[in-house]
Amino acid sequence: MNKKLIAITLSLATLATTALAKDFPSDRWQWFYSNNSYTGKVDLQTLHYDADTDSADAWAVWERLNGVQDLLQYKIYFNNNTMYVGQYDKFEQGSDAIIKQGFFGDTHTPAPSSGDEQLVKTVSALVGRDKIIADKKAKAQELELERQEQAKQQKIKQEKKAKALKRQATTNRILGILGL
C-alpha cells in the first residue's frame, strides 16, 4: 500500500511540476534526454553551427523533478568533444521570474551516457553537422584532385617545353656543325 501511495504522490508531483513550471513549448523546445531526476530540452530557434570552427551555439533547459528549471547557454566544440557552459538562468516552479542568474564559464568534456553527451549528439543532428562535414571533406577532396590534375598538366607542359628546347639545341648544334 505504501509503495502505491508513494508512486501516486510522485506521479502527481511530476504532473504538478510540469503544469506549473515556466513554459518551454514543444514547437520551439525539443526533448533530447530524461532520467529519474530531470528532462533536457534544446531550443530549436537559437541553434547555430559554424563549420569553420566545427562548433555550435545552443540553449538548453533542464527541467528538474523538484520544479526548478535551469536554462543554460552552451558552446559545443565537436572537434575535441568539449562544451563551454556560459550564462544560466534558474526558474522556480510556477514562475517566469528568474530566481538566480549567473555565468558558469566552465569548459568540460561530457560524461559518457550523460545528458550533456546526448545534448552534443542531438545538436549535431539538428544542425546537420555530419552532412556539412561530409560535404566539406568531399569538396576538399575534389579541390585536391583538381590541384593534382593541374600539377600533372603543368609537369607535362614543362616536359614538352624541355624536349622542345633540347630538340632546338640539337638542331642548332647540327646546323653549327654543318656551318649553316
Side-chain angles (χ1 to χ4, degrees):
M1 180 75 171
N2 266 347
K3 288 182 182 181
K4 286 183 181 178
L5 185 58
I6 290 171
I8 291 171
T9 303
L10 283 174
S11 296
L12 289 174
T14 301
L15 288 173
T17 298
T18 303
L20 297 174
K22 179 171 174 51
D23 187 30
F24 293 98
S26 62
D27 62 334
R28 177 174 181 161
W29 294 85
Q30 180 174 313
W31 171 91
F32 65 88
Y33 183 82
S34 290
N35 66 17
N36 59 356
S37 300
Y38 57 86
T39 293
K41 296 178 181 178
V42 65
D43 183 9
L44 300 174
Q45 293 182 9
T46 59
L47 286 178
H48 173 72
Y49 178 70
D50 182 346
D52 293 334
T53 62
D54 194 21
S55 65
D57 298 310
W59 282 86
V61 64
W62 300 96
E63 297 176 331
R64 305 201 181 275
L65 196 57
N66 65 4
V68 173
Q69 297 168 314
D70 298 313
L71 179 62
L72 295 116
Q73 176 190 30
Y74 291 91
K75 180 79 166 188
I76 300 169
Y77 300 96
F78 297 105
N79 58 348
N80 65 2
N81 192 37
T82 61
M83 59 193 326
Y84 173 81
V85 184
Q87 178 182 338
Y88 73 91
D89 299 330
K90 191 176 287 280
F91 299 90
E92 200 169 294
Q93 178 177 340
S95 174
D96 269 355
I98 296 172
I99 59 172
K100 185 176 180 182
Q101 189 172 42
F103 187 80
F104 277 118
D106 170 42
T107 300
H108 66 279
T109 300
S113 302
S114 67
D116 282 349
E117 182 182 63
Q118 190 58 43
L119 174 62
V120 171
K121 289 177 183 177
T122 300
V123 168
S124 177
L126 288 171
V127 298
R129 177 182 176 262
D130 289 347
K131 182 176 180 349
I132 292 168
I133 294 294
D135 290 349
K136 194 174 181 179
K137 284 181 182 177
K139 180 71 173 170
Q141 288 173 342
E142 183 180 310
L143 289 172
E144 178 59 20
L145 289 173
E146 285 177 19
R147 188 198 63 74
Q148 288 174 2
E149 183 60 30
Q150 287 173 352
K152 182 180 174 182
Q153 293 301 322
Q154 183 67 24
K155 186 177 178 181
I156 290 169
K157 282 181 185 178
Q158 288 172 346
E159 288 172 354
K160 283 181 179 180
K161 187 175 181 180
K163 285 179 183 178
L165 288 172
K166 189 174 181 180
R167 275 194 308 270
Q168 184 63 46
T170 303
T171 302
N172 288 345
R173 202 170 347 150
I174 292 171
L175 290 173
I177 292 172
L178 294 175
L180 299 173

